[in-house]
Amino acid sequence: MSTVADRSLGFFERLSDRVSPILVRELQQAVTARAFAVTLGVASLVVMMMAVAFTWTDSSWRGGELGRDALGWCVICLAPIAVVVVPLQSLTGMRQEVVGGTAEQLLLTKIRPSRVALGKVAAGLAQFTVYLGVFAPLFGLAYLLRGVSFGSILLILYFGVLSNIAATAFAVAMGSLGKRRNQQQAAQALASIVLFSTSTGLMGGGYELIREFDQLLRAPEFWPVVLTVTVTFVLGTWLAVLVATAVLSHPYENRSTPFRVFGVGALAVGALWLLFVMDSGNRPESAGYLSALLALLLFPIWLWAPCEEEALSPRVRSYVPLRAGLLVAPFLPGGGRGLLYAVVLAALGVALATALPFLSTGVVHRSAEYATAAWLYAPFAGGLARAIRGRLPEGKRWSVVTFTTTVILFFVFALGAQVVLIFSRYASASSWNVLHIFNPFWTVFDGGPGWFHIAALVVVAGLLLLAGLPSIFRGMREVARAAADRRALVD
Amino acid sequence: MTESLLEVRNLCRSFGSMRAVDDVSFVLERGRIYGFIGPNGAGKTTTMRILATLDVPDSGDAVLEGLSVLVEPRKVRDRVGFMSDQFEPYANLDVLQYLDFFARAYGLRGRERIDVVRSVASFCGLDSFATRPATGLSKGMGQRLHLAKTLLHDPSLLILDEPASGLDPRARIEFRALLRELSAAGKTILISSHILAELSETCDGVLVIEQGRLMASGKIGDIARSVRDRHRMRMRVLGEVEHAQRFLVVQPQVHEVRVVETSVEFEFAGDDEAAAELLARAVAGGLRIVEFVAQGANLEEIFMTTTRGRLS
Ligand SMILES: Nc1ncnc2c1ncn2[C@@H]1O[C@H](COP(=O)(O)OP(=O)(O)OP(=O)(O)O)[C@@H](O)[C@H]1O
Ligand SMILES: [Mg+2]
């Protein structure tokens, strides 16, 4: 029996001086856990059996493409490990920590919530790497049996790692969500469905995937595709980590700025992608579509911002940047500033679709109209949300109510307009009418919106913004005062 | 003169229409042990969670060593050890690994970390449990591990939410001894419990809360006196008990005298000064007194009187 006194620095203790303690702890747990040993054993057995089977099969069978078969089996076995087994373990771990109160105890330590989330992702990756090691002989065999290039093996490993990171981050975020039991179960169910279907898709398309990778390696769009996939995965992981961090953080910490920065960051990444990955011939057209797509994908961020409570928390007020000016304010928490943020983001989105292609190629494609119409919904819906939020009491609960109400209002109005037009003698229900302005999808994609659609949107959004102006003004003044207070303290 | 460590000002916290903490204010002095008592659902856990920066009040504030829990939660966390009423250690870790992980989480490194973990573990009596799985401990040992985890970063304020619930008498007595040592080492302790007898022996002061409102606070003796103007005294004498009884019934401020085995019990309405005089007169009157004790400081009585009829 070893006692405390005779304990010296062990491997893990020394390790945790250097890397994330969360990662070290997860590894320590995994090493002792029976489940991990069992899965690892089973995986090794499967690999061995497959290796034997492939070595004994006549290599002329299937026209010398046995290597491809072996690689296909690698994908089929590794896909569920990368996107189901490892992420679901992280999800369960996260959820147990939240439910059992360990997550809170961790928050009392010096570890920041973002580190907790990242540590879990890293631990997932470490586990997956062990599995990759187990499968290494099969990869080697696939290469020796011919039919696959070294490049496609590397590509598969690369995408495997990427999808494992993104899937684990997603799972950690979903595992942290939900205060009540039913919410947690809903989050877990949703995560399981998403991960399982992704895995099934990957397994089913295993062989196809390898063929496509082979072609991709020789195709001119190799780098654009790899870059695009990488960027998408990185953005997804970043967002998932932000969600987990926000959930775990102290309620008075600033949980808005990271998301608001993410919105702008996504546009910036889009701009870089257009400039450096897209060829200039296709740039104007893709700029419009990409910008419209981003407007849709970022909708939770730009709609949430105006839904927030108006005032800064005492905590955030105490560390507002000393020279917080007009540039910083939209990124600070608060609904009034959030409305301004929605406007700023929309302006940047429109610029991405118009100014960027115009400045770099001198051309603006018609697709920019889609983007403009789509982005106009940010001040439109945001203004509506702010008007609703302003009439509700303090408390985060009411921000959630505002968000859902705004979304539901759009549905109700869109349906209502349709019903009105069906019974109207003067207008046709099947062609666009100004009442359809509550139907973003129709408005944006009505055969490419004309100036009329955009003008109508500008008018509505403008009116709502006008109504929200006092709130924006209050938001700016609060920041200016908090900064002045801090400057007075510093001097 | 003791200095104050924590100042709680008009704390309020509601869950929907339910006021869990309602305008609670109090001050904790350095190096003292405070009992936090109240019926189930009174708002003890909610108050403690706010002090530990795990929840935020709707209004009011708490200031620890000049740091507001709302403005400087991170700095407050460095100074507070919170032992929640929930303890679920990580699976597949032994006791030392568990402590080592949290020590690292508190920013301790290398040799220092090993030393701190070692000393905290032995302080909490976990020496011979070092390699036991953290999830496989008995309730008593689990609570010791939980306490050890709370002590790792050497906090000045310990907030313990029902640490002794579910412990057997021996474990409870041992736990109490740990608390006394901690208090002697200068730590302030706020401890909630339903086991009142235990608190009355350990605590310097109590806070009584009910339905979110602070009903009473201060030294146990002071509250006892404010709750009722008399307290129970017991006198044991050598020889004739009836002799003592006859002496007492005619004394001022003495009521309800009765004989219990070899002692006399009575209600006394005077203060300590008056009690001393009474004792002097009794000795002068020829009584051979072996015991003269006030049984006044009775937490159960305080509890029942201050919270009577409003159990939620
Ligand atoms: N997260 C929450 N949501 C809703 N109500 C809550 C929440 N937390 C506490 N409450 C309510 O607030 C009141 C005070 O609860 P609290 O846990 O602080 O009491 P307590 O004094 O610790 O009780 P106990 O002695 O049972 O531990 C209770 O009525 C409880 O139902
Ligand atoms: Mg409680």
Side-chain angles (χ1 to χ4, degrees):
Chain A
M1 188 182 64
S2 89
T3 60
V4 189
D6 57 32
R7 178 99 158 199
S8 58
L9 280 168
F11 166 71
F12 282 118
E13 280 93 347
R14 241 171 290 164
L15 188 63
S16 76
D17 271 344
R18 295 178 212 294
V19 296
S20 150
I22 304 276
L23 170 62
V24 174
R25 193 210 63 223
E26 299 257 344
L27 292 181
Q28 278 178 317
Q29 284 181 280
V31 167
T32 350
R34 202 170 300 145
F36 185 62
V38 169
T39 12
L40 216 57
V42 170
S44 314
L45 209 67
V46 168
V47 168
M48 238 144 46
M49 275 164 31
M50 286 202 292
V52 169
F54 276 108
T55 338
W56 281 50
T57 313
D58 184 359
S59 62
S60 62
W61 194 63
R62 300 202 56 171
E65 299 231 318
L66 220 50
R68 187 169 290 176
D69 279 359
L71 197 57
W73 278 105
C74 285
V75 172
I76 288 174
C77 296
L78 280 173
I81 293 177
V83 298
V84 179
V85 176
V86 172
L88 278 190
Q89 264 174 22
S90 310
L91 185 148
T92 327
M94 190 75 231
R95 210 187 115 183
Q96 273 169 358
E97 283 182 34
V98 170
V99 174
T102 323
E104 283 194 338
Q105 285 162 21
L106 261 189
L107 294 185
L108 295 176
T109 69
K110 284 193 159 50
I111 300 188
R112 297 281 152 262
S114 56
R115 296 274 153 186
V116 174
L118 284 173
K120 287 217 169 271
V121 175
L125 182 60
Q127 261 197 50
F128 182 59
T129 315
V130 173
Y131 283 110
L132 282 183
V134 171
F135 274 83
L138 207 54
F139 279 107
L141 195 65
Y143 180 65
L144 292 176
L145 285 173
R146 306 278 158 90
V148 283
S149 65
F150 190 60
S152 30
I153 294 180
L154 275 188
L155 209 55
I156 284 179
L157 289 178
Y158 177 67
F159 284 135
V161 166
L162 269 190
S163 49
N164 174 251
I165 293 175
T168 310
F170 168 71
V172 167
M174 297 306 268
S176 67
L177 279 179
K179 279 223 163 60
R180 269 178 264 124
R181 200 177 180 77
N182 52 358
Q183 294 171 335
Q184 287 160 350
Q185 279 163 348
Q188 183 163 21
L190 179 67
S192 309
I193 292 171
V194 170
L195 294 174
F196 268 108
S197 43
T198 312
S199 151
T200 319
L202 286 175
M203 285 166 76
Y207 284 95
E208 274 308 300
L209 219 58
I210 292 167
R211 190 153 298 130
E212 280 168 21
F213 280 174
D214 264 349
Q215 285 165 4
L216 181 63
L217 276 167
R218 277 176 245 114
E221 38 310 336
F222 173 75
W223 282 112
V225 170
V226 171
L227 264 177
T228 309
V229 174
T230 308
V231 164
T232 317
F233 274 104
V234 168
L235 284 180
T237 307
W238 181 10
L239 190 61
V241 169
L242 283 188
V243 170
T245 307
V247 175
L248 294 177
S249 293
H250 185 269
Y252 275 4
E253 292 287 359
N254 178 358
R255 297 182 289 178
S256 312
T257 303
F259 286 99
R260 296 190 185 181
V261 169
F262 177 85
V264 174
L267 288 182
V269 169
L272 291 176
W273 185 82
L274 286 172
L275 287 175
F276 297 108
V277 180
M278 208 68 215
D279 60 284
S280 54
N282 289 318
R283 192 176 301 147
E285 184 176 358
S286 350
Y289 291 123
L290 178 68
S291 171
L293 179 68
L294 283 173
L296 177 69
L297 292 180
L298 294 177
F299 124 82
I301 292 178
W302 55 249
L303 185 54
W304 176 258
C307 292
E308 286 179 7
E309 291 175 79
E310 199 168 272
L312 292 171
S313 76
R315 164 88 181 132
V316 177
R317 192 173 303 129
S318 75
Y319 69 90
V320 152
L322 283 177
R323 311 257 160 234
L326 216 62
L327 268 179
V328 185
F331 290 91
L332 291 174
R337 291 173 290 271
L339 183 53
L340 189 60
Y341 170 76
V343 175
V344 169
L345 196 70
L348 290 175
V350 172
L352 182 71
T354 53
L356 181 128
F358 183 76
L359 292 178
S360 64
T361 64
V363 185
V364 177
H365 189 263
R366 259 198 82 228
S367 63
E369 290 176 14
Y370 293 110
T372 311
W375 278 113
L376 276 168
Y377 277 94
F380 176 6
L384 187 63
R386 185 90 286 267
I388 297 171
R389 187 67 185 89
R391 280 161 183 74
L392 295 174
E394 296 260 295
K396 168 139 178 283
R397 209 152 61 98
W398 295 107
S399 301
V400 178
V401 168
T402 308
F403 188 91
T404 3
T405 309
T406 312
V407 174
I408 292 173
L409 271 186
F410 267 86
F411 270 108
V412 169
F413 282 146
L415 270 178
Q418 195 66 17
V419 171
V420 167
L421 289 170
I422 284 172
F423 291 105
S424 151
R425 295 198 303 145
Y426 304 104
S428 143
S430 54
S431 63
W432 196 85
N433 180 291
V434 83
L435 284 179
H436 287 125
I437 205 156
F438 279 102
N439 190 335
F441 291 99
W442 194 350
T443 308
V444 173
F445 293 108
D446 183 30
W451 65 267
F452 182 66
H453 301 66
I454 291 179
L457 276 170
V458 167
V459 170
V460 179
L463 286 176
L464 281 163
L465 269 185
L466 220 56
L469 221 50
S471 173
I472 294 182
F473 180 68
R474 279 194 300 273
M476 303 301 288
R477 198 177 46 190
E478 186 188 16
V479 168
R481 281 197 182 147
D485 286 350
R486 278 202 63 203
R487 279 198 301 273
L489 266 181
V490 168
D491 294 342
Chain B
M1 184 65 210
T2 46
E3 51 174 327
S4 70
L5 177 84
L6 174 80
E7 206 181 323
V8 176
R9 299 176 195 143
N10 311 97
L11 223 51
C12 293
R13 175 74 165 106
S14 303
F15 296 105
S17 60
M18 148 96 209
R19 311 206 71 172
V21 177
D22 193 357
D23 200 23
V24 165
S25 306
F26 57 86
V27 174
L28 301 187
E29 283 168 2
R30 205 178 281 277
R32 297 280 172 87
I33 306 183
Y34 294 86
F36 199 18
I37 62 179
N40 289 123
K44 302 183 292 290
T45 301
T46 309
T47 310
M48 290 178 140
R49 284 175 56 82
I50 293 173
L51 299 183
T53 73
L54 287 174
D55 198 355
V56 286
D58 301 325
S59 63
D61 199 353
V63 180
L64 176 77
E65 293 181 332
L67 301 166
S68 155
V69 292
L70 301 180
V71 180
E72 303 277 12
R74 289 186 193 168
K75 286 185 184 156
V76 169
R77 284 169 180 183
D78 290 345
R79 291 162 169 77
V80 170
F82 177 54
M83 181 170 167
S84 74
D85 52 356
Q86 211 182 7
F87 182 56
E88 260 180 51
Y90 290 105
N92 300 315
L93 284 188
D94 68 27
V95 165
L96 270 196
Q97 287 173 331
Y98 180 82
L99 286 178
D100 190 73
F101 165 67
F102 271 100
R104 176 66 181 84
Y106 277 114
L108 300 168
R109 279 162 191 268
R111 198 69 236 173
E112 185 198 2
R113 189 174 77 238
I114 302 291
D115 291 342
V116 167
V117 167
R118 178 182 297 175
S119 66
V120 165
S122 2
F123 174 78
C124 295
L126 289 164
D127 265 329
S128 49
F129 291 82
T131 51
R132 292 273 195 93
T135 39
L137 295 175
S138 68
K139 179 89 190 174
M141 279 302 145
Q143 289 300 76
R144 282 167 181 238
L145 178 58
H146 199 177
L147 179 69
K149 188 221 83 193
T150 314
L151 296 174
L152 285 169
H153 61 304
D154 195 23
S156 46
L157 173 65
L158 287 172
I159 300 176
L160 314 177
D161 197 0
E162 298 189 29
S165 76
L167 298 191
D168 66 30
R170 166 175 287 277
R172 234 181 273 155
I173 289 167
E174 287 169 356
F175 200 85
R176 211 152 66 200
L178 286 184
L179 292 190
R180 287 220 197 83
E181 274 188 59
L182 286 171
S183 146
K187 301 212 181 298
T188 307
I189 302 175
L190 178 64
I191 171 173
S192 83
S193 175
H194 290 294
I195 305 154
L196 302 176
E198 173 175 298
L199 286 184
S200 61
E201 282 177 44
T202 340
C203 296
D204 303 304
V206 283
L207 308 157
V208 187
I209 187 173
E210 183 181 34
Q211 289 194 332
R213 298 191 144 268
L214 200 62
M215 308 305 289
S217 70
K219 293 214 179 76
I220 296 177
D222 294 346
I223 305 183
R225 260 191 295 282
S226 74
V227 165
R228 23 176 291 152
D229 44 11
R230 311 162 164 185
H231 41 265
R232 248 196 128 56
M233 308 278 290
R234 188 161 60 90
M235 185 192 276
R236 190 157 75 84
V237 291
L238 287 179
E240 292 262 305
V241 188
E242 284 74 20
H243 200 66
Q245 188 184 13
R246 272 199 301 280
F247 164 78
L248 281 171
V249 281
V250 295
Q251 298 300 320
Q253 296 175 308
V254 170
H255 312 267
E256 294 177 39
V257 184
R258 62 202 166 91
V259 176
V260 181
E261 289 169 21
T262 58
S263 336
V264 204
E265 288 190 6
F266 58 94
E267 299 276 327
F268 186 60
D271 54 7
D272 287 353
E273 193 74 27
E277 280 168 22
L278 176 69
L279 180 62
R281 278 200 302 278
V283 173
L287 290 177
R288 295 167 69 201
I289 298 169
V290 269
E291 255 181 60
F292 185 78
V293 280
Q295 296 178 305
N298 185 343
L299 256 189
E300 259 165 56
E301 203 172 289
I302 295 177
F303 184 80
M304 291 311 285
T305 330
T306 48
T307 65
R308 194 180 310 151
R310 269 165 295 184
L311 296 168
S312 54

mmCIF file with all atom_site columns, all heavy atoms in Angstrom, chain B residues 73-86:
data_model
loop_
_atom_site.group_PDB
_atom_site.id
_atom_site.type_symbol
_atom_site.label_atom_id
_atom_site.label_alt_id
_atom_site.label_comp_id
_atom_site.label_asym_id
_atom_site.label_entity_id
_atom_site.label_seq_id
_atom_site.pdbx_PDB_ins_code
_atom_site.Cartn_x
_atom_site.Cartn_y
_atom_site.Cartn_z
_atom_site.occupancy
_atom_site.B_iso_or_equiv
_atom_site.pdbx_formal_charge
_atom_site.auth_seq_id
_atom_site.auth_comp_id
_atom_site.auth_asym_id
_atom_site.auth_atom_id
_atom_site.pdbx_PDB_model_num
ATOM 1   N N   . PRO B 1 73 ? -15.410 38.228 -9.387  1.00 0.00 ? 73 PRO B N   1
ATOM 2   C CA  . PRO B 1 73 ? -15.648 36.834 -9.010  1.00 0.00 ? 73 PRO B CA  1
ATOM 3   C C   . PRO B 1 73 ? -14.382 35.986 -9.030  1.00 0.00 ? 73 PRO B C   1
ATOM 4   O O   . PRO B 1 73 ? -14.206 35.118 -8.186  1.00 0.00 ? 73 PRO B O   1
ATOM 5   C CB  . PRO B 1 73 ? -16.664 36.346 -10.043 1.00 0.00 ? 73 PRO B CB  1
ATOM 6   C CG  . PRO B 1 73 ? -16.689 37.354 -11.124 1.00 0.00 ? 73 PRO B CG  1
ATOM 7   C CD  . PRO B 1 73 ? -16.209 38.638 -10.546 1.00 0.00 ? 73 PRO B CD  1
ATOM 8   N N   . ARG B 1 74 ? -13.488 36.279 -9.956  1.00 0.00 ? 74 ARG B N   1
ATOM 9   C CA  . ARG B 1 74 ? -12.293 35.430 -10.051 1.00 0.00 ? 74 ARG B CA  1
ATOM 10  C C   . ARG B 1 74 ? -11.402 35.592 -8.831  1.00 0.00 ? 74 ARG B C   1
ATOM 11  O O   . ARG B 1 74 ? -10.872 34.619 -8.299  1.00 0.00 ? 74 ARG B O   1
ATOM 12  C CB  . ARG B 1 74 ? -11.502 35.772 -11.306 1.00 0.00 ? 74 ARG B CB  1
ATOM 13  C CG  . ARG B 1 74 ? -12.238 35.314 -12.547 1.00 0.00 ? 74 ARG B CG  1
ATOM 14  C CD  . ARG B 1 74 ? -11.400 35.508 -13.776 1.00 0.00 ? 74 ARG B CD  1
ATOM 15  N NE  . ARG B 1 74 ? -12.244 35.356 -14.955 1.00 0.00 ? 74 ARG B NE  1
ATOM 16  C CZ  . ARG B 1 74 ? -11.864 35.699 -16.166 1.00 0.00 ? 74 ARG B CZ  1
ATOM 17  N NH1 . ARG B 1 74 ? -10.667 36.198 -16.360 1.00 0.00 ? 74 ARG B NH1 1
ATOM 18  N NH2 . ARG B 1 74 ? -12.667 35.537 -17.194 1.00 0.00 ? 74 ARG B NH2 1
ATOM 19  N N   . LYS B 1 75 ? -11.225 36.828 -8.394  1.00 0.00 ? 75 LYS B N   1
ATOM 20  C CA  . LYS B 1 75 ? -10.378 37.042 -7.220  1.00 0.00 ? 75 LYS B CA  1
ATOM 21  C C   . LYS B 1 75 ? -11.050 36.476 -5.977  1.00 0.00 ? 75 LYS B C   1
ATOM 22  O O   . LYS B 1 75 ? -10.373 35.962 -5.087  1.00 0.00 ? 75 LYS B O   1
ATOM 23  C CB  . LYS B 1 75 ? -10.096 38.535 -7.049  1.00 0.00 ? 75 LYS B CB  1
ATOM 24  C CG  . LYS B 1 75 ? -9.117  39.035 -8.077  1.00 0.00 ? 75 LYS B CG  1
ATOM 25  C CD  . LYS B 1 75 ? -8.738  40.476 -7.835  1.00 0.00 ? 75 LYS B CD  1
ATOM 26  C CE  . LYS B 1 75 ? -7.826  40.962 -8.947  1.00 0.00 ? 75 LYS B CE  1
ATOM 27  N NZ  . LYS B 1 75 ? -7.874  42.422 -9.100  1.00 0.00 ? 75 LYS B NZ  1
ATOM 28  N N   . VAL B 1 76 ? -12.377 36.590 -5.914  1.00 0.00 ? 76 VAL B N   1
ATOM 29  C CA  . VAL B 1 76 ? -13.093 36.035 -4.765  1.00 0.00 ? 76 VAL B CA  1
ATOM 30  C C   . VAL B 1 76 ? -12.888 34.523 -4.729  1.00 0.00 ? 76 VAL B C   1
ATOM 31  O O   . VAL B 1 76 ? -12.668 33.934 -3.672  1.00 0.00 ? 76 VAL B O   1
ATOM 32  C CB  . VAL B 1 76 ? -14.584 36.398 -4.828  1.00 0.00 ? 76 VAL B CB  1
ATOM 33  C CG1 . VAL B 1 76 ? -15.370 35.599 -3.803  1.00 0.00 ? 76 VAL B CG1 1
ATOM 34  C CG2 . VAL B 1 76 ? -14.779 37.887 -4.596  1.00 0.00 ? 76 VAL B CG2 1
ATOM 35  N N   . ARG B 1 77 ? -12.918 33.909 -5.900  1.00 0.00 ? 77 ARG B N   1
ATOM 36  C CA  . ARG B 1 77 ? -12.765 32.452 -5.958  1.00 0.00 ? 77 ARG B CA  1
ATOM 37  C C   . ARG B 1 77 ? -11.426 31.993 -5.393  1.00 0.00 ? 77 ARG B C   1
ATOM 38  O O   . ARG B 1 77 ? -11.330 30.910 -4.836  1.00 0.00 ? 77 ARG B O   1
ATOM 39  C CB  . ARG B 1 77 ? -12.893 31.972 -7.403  1.00 0.00 ? 77 ARG B CB  1
ATOM 40  C CG  . ARG B 1 77 ? -14.329 31.966 -7.856  1.00 0.00 ? 77 ARG B CG  1
ATOM 41  C CD  . ARG B 1 77 ? -14.453 31.746 -9.333  1.00 0.00 ? 77 ARG B CD  1
ATOM 42  N NE  . ARG B 1 77 ? -15.868 31.759 -9.700  1.00 0.00 ? 77 ARG B NE  1
ATOM 43  C CZ  . ARG B 1 77 ? -16.317 31.538 -10.914 1.00 0.00 ? 77 ARG B CZ  1
ATOM 44  N NH1 . ARG B 1 77 ? -15.464 31.279 -11.878 1.00 0.00 ? 77 ARG B NH1 1
ATOM 45  N NH2 . ARG B 1 77 ? -17.605 31.571 -11.168 1.00 0.00 ? 77 ARG B NH2 1
ATOM 46  N N   . ASP B 1 78 ? -10.396 32.827 -5.555  1.00 0.00 ? 78 ASP B N   1
ATOM 47  C CA  . ASP B 1 78 ? -9.091  32.462 -4.999  1.00 0.00 ? 78 ASP B CA  1
ATOM 48  C C   . ASP B 1 78 ? -9.122  32.403 -3.485  1.00 0.00 ? 78 ASP B C   1
ATOM 49  O O   . ASP B 1 78 ? -8.276  31.770 -2.867  1.00 0.00 ? 78 ASP B O   1
ATOM 50  C CB  . ASP B 1 78 ? -8.032  33.493 -5.415  1.00 0.00 ? 78 ASP B CB  1
ATOM 51  C CG  . ASP B 1 78 ? -7.723  33.387 -6.889  1.00 0.00 ? 78 ASP B CG  1
ATOM 52  O OD1 . ASP B 1 78 ? -8.101  32.365 -7.485  1.00 0.00 ? 78 ASP B OD1 1
ATOM 53  O OD2 . ASP B 1 78 ? -7.118  34.326 -7.436  1.00 0.00 ? 78 ASP B OD2 1
ATOM 54  N N   . ARG B 1 79 ? -10.071 33.124 -2.891  1.00 0.00 ? 79 ARG B N   1
ATOM 55  C CA  . ARG B 1 79 ? -10.083 33.254 -1.427  1.00 0.00 ? 79 ARG B CA  1
ATOM 56  C C   . ARG B 1 79 ? -11.165 32.425 -0.766  1.00 0.00 ? 79 ARG B C   1
ATOM 57  O O   . ARG B 1 79 ? -11.267 32.410 0.450   1.00 0.00 ? 79 ARG B O   1
ATOM 58  C CB  . ARG B 1 79 ? -10.298 34.726 -1.071  1.00 0.00 ? 79 ARG B CB  1
ATOM 59  C CG  . ARG B 1 79 ? -9.118  35.600 -1.434  1.00 0.00 ? 79 ARG B CG  1
ATOM 60  C CD  . ARG B 1 79 ? -9.530  37.058 -1.478  1.00 0.00 ? 79 ARG B CD  1
ATOM 61  N NE  . ARG B 1 79 ? -8.394  37.952 -1.562  1.00 0.00 ? 79 ARG B NE  1
ATOM 62  C CZ  . ARG B 1 79 ? -7.697  38.183 -2.668  1.00 0.00 ? 79 ARG B CZ  1
ATOM 63  N NH1 . ARG B 1 79 ? -8.012  37.562 -3.788  1.00 0.00 ? 79 ARG B NH1 1
ATOM 64  N NH2 . ARG B 1 79 ? -6.685  39.031 -2.664  1.00 0.00 ? 79 ARG B NH2 1
ATOM 65  N N   . VAL B 1 80 ? -12.007 31.785 -1.573  1.00 0.00 ? 80 VAL B N   1
ATOM 66  C CA  . VAL B 1 80 ? -13.125 31.035 -1.007  1.00 0.00 ? 80 VAL B CA  1
ATOM 67  C C   . VAL B 1 80 ? -12.978 29.550 -1.318  1.00 0.00 ? 80 VAL B C   1
ATOM 68  O O   . VAL B 1 80 ? -12.613 29.170 -2.424  1.00 0.00 ? 80 VAL B O   1
ATOM 69  C CB  . VAL B 1 80 ? -14.455 31.542 -1.602  1.00 0.00 ? 80 VAL B CB  1
ATOM 70  C CG1 . VAL B 1 80 ? -15.592 30.616 -1.212  1.00 0.00 ? 80 VAL B CG1 1
ATOM 71  C CG2 . VAL B 1 80 ? -14.754 32.937 -1.128  1.00 0.00 ? 80 VAL B CG2 1
ATOM 72  N N   . GLY B 1 81 ? -13.232 28.737 -0.326  1.00 0.00 ? 81 GLY B N   1
ATOM 73  C CA  . GLY B 1 81 ? -13.328 27.300 -0.571  1.00 0.00 ? 81 GLY B CA  1
ATOM 74  C C   . GLY B 1 81 ? -14.774 26.911 -0.369  1.00 0.00 ? 81 GLY B C   1
ATOM 75  O O   . GLY B 1 81 ? -15.329 27.145 0.695   1.00 0.00 ? 81 GLY B O   1
ATOM 76  N N   . PHE B 1 82 ? -15.386 26.371 -1.392  1.00 0.00 ? 82 PHE B N   1
ATOM 77  C CA  . PHE B 1 82 ? -16.805 26.014 -1.282  1.00 0.00 ? 82 PHE B CA  1
ATOM 78  C C   . PHE B 1 82 ? -16.950 24.506 -1.356  1.00 0.00 ? 82 PHE B C   1
ATOM 79  O O   . PHE B 1 82 ? -16.532 23.870 -2.317  1.00 0.00 ? 82 PHE B O   1
ATOM 80  C CB  . PHE B 1 82 ? -17.593 26.682 -2.411  1.00 0.00 ? 82 PHE B CB  1
ATOM 81  C CG  . PHE B 1 82 ? -19.054 26.309 -2.425  1.00 0.00 ? 82 PHE B CG  1
ATOM 82  C CD1 . PHE B 1 82 ? -19.836 26.464 -1.295  1.00 0.00 ? 82 PHE B CD1 1
ATOM 83  C CD2 . PHE B 1 82 ? -19.644 25.789 -3.571  1.00 0.00 ? 82 PHE B CD2 1
ATOM 84  C CE1 . PHE B 1 82 ? -21.187 26.119 -1.290  1.00 0.00 ? 82 PHE B CE1 1
ATOM 85  C CE2 . PHE B 1 82 ? -20.991 25.442 -3.582  1.00 0.00 ? 82 PHE B CE2 1
ATOM 86  C CZ  . PHE B 1 82 ? -21.761 25.610 -2.443  1.00 0.00 ? 82 PHE B CZ  1
ATOM 87  N N   . MET B 1 83 ? -17.553 23.947 -0.313  1.00 0.00 ? 83 MET B N   1
ATOM 88  C CA  . MET B 1 83 ? -17.811 22.516 -0.304  1.00 0.00 ? 83 MET B CA  1
ATOM 89  C C   . MET B 1 83 ? -19.306 22.369 -0.477  1.00 0.00 ? 83 MET B C   1
ATOM 90  O O   . MET B 1 83 ? -20.079 22.655 0.438   1.00 0.00 ? 83 MET B O   1
ATOM 91  C CB  . MET B 1 83 ? -17.349 21.964 1.045   1.00 0.00 ? 83 MET B CB  1
ATOM 92  C CG  . MET B 1 83 ? -17.520 20.504 1.210   1.00 0.00 ? 83 MET B CG  1
ATOM 93  S SD  . MET B 1 83 ? -16.674 19.996 2.722   1.00 0.00 ? 83 MET B SD  1
ATOM 94  C CE  . MET B 1 83 ? -17.344 18.366 2.902   1.00 0.00 ? 83 MET B CE  1
ATOM 95  N N   . SER B 1 84 ? -19.746 21.983 -1.663  1.00 0.00 ? 84 SER B N   1
ATOM 96  C CA  . SER B 1 84 ? -21.178 21.935 -1.929  1.00 0.00 ? 84 SER B CA  1
ATOM 97  C C   . SER B 1 84 ? -21.779 20.679 -1.312  1.00 0.00 ? 84 SER B C   1
ATOM 98  O O   . SER B 1 84 ? -21.065 19.784 -0.879  1.00 0.00 ? 84 SER B O   1
ATOM 99  C CB  . SER B 1 84 ? -21.438 21.956 -3.431  1.00 0.00 ? 84 SER B CB  1
ATOM 100 O OG  . SER B 1 84 ? -21.124 20.711 -3.980  1.00 0.00 ? 84 SER B OG  1
ATOM 101 N N   . ASP B 1 85 ? -23.104 20.646 -1.285  1.00 0.00 ? 85 ASP B N   1
ATOM 102 C CA  . ASP B 1 85 ? -23.748 19.486 -0.661  1.00 0.00 ? 85 ASP B CA  1
ATOM 103 C C   . ASP B 1 85 ? -23.768 18.300 -1.623  1.00 0.00 ? 85 ASP B C   1
ATOM 104 O O   . ASP B 1 85 ? -24.329 17.261 -1.337  1.00 0.00 ? 85 ASP B O   1
ATOM 105 C CB  . ASP B 1 85 ? -25.159 19.822 -0.185  1.00 0.00 ? 85 ASP B CB  1
ATOM 106 C CG  . ASP B 1 85 ? -26.004 20.459 -1.278  1.00 0.00 ? 85 ASP B CG  1
ATOM 107 O OD1 . ASP B 1 85 ? -25.466 20.700 -2.378  1.00 0.00 ? 85 ASP B OD1 1
ATOM 108 O OD2 . ASP B 1 85 ? -27.188 20.709 -1.037  1.00 0.00 ? 85 ASP B OD2 1
ATOM 109 N N   . GLN B 1 86 ? -23.152 18.500 -2.776  1.00 0.00 ? 86 GLN B N   1
ATOM 110 C CA  . GLN B 1 86 ? -23.131 17.469 -3.806  1.00 0.00 ? 86 GLN B CA  1
ATOM 111 C C   . GLN B 1 86 ? -21.675 17.051 -4.002  1.00 0.00 ? 86 GLN B C   1
ATOM 112 O O   . GLN B 1 86 ? -20.816 17.907 -4.115  1.00 0.00 ? 86 GLN B O   1
ATOM 113 C CB  . GLN B 1 86 ? -23.632 18.129 -5.088  1.00 0.00 ? 86 GLN B CB  1
ATOM 114 C CG  . GLN B 1 86 ? -24.368 17.239 -6.017  1.00 0.00 ? 86 GLN B CG  1
ATOM 115 C CD  . GLN B 1 86 ? -24.765 18.046 -7.264  1.00 0.00 ? 86 GLN B CD  1
ATOM 116 O OE1 . GLN B 1 86 ? -24.376 19.195 -7.445  1.00 0.00 ? 86 GLN B OE1 1
ATOM 117 N NE2 . GLN B 1 86 ? -25.516 17.438 -8.122  1.00 0.00 ? 86 GLN B NE2 1
#
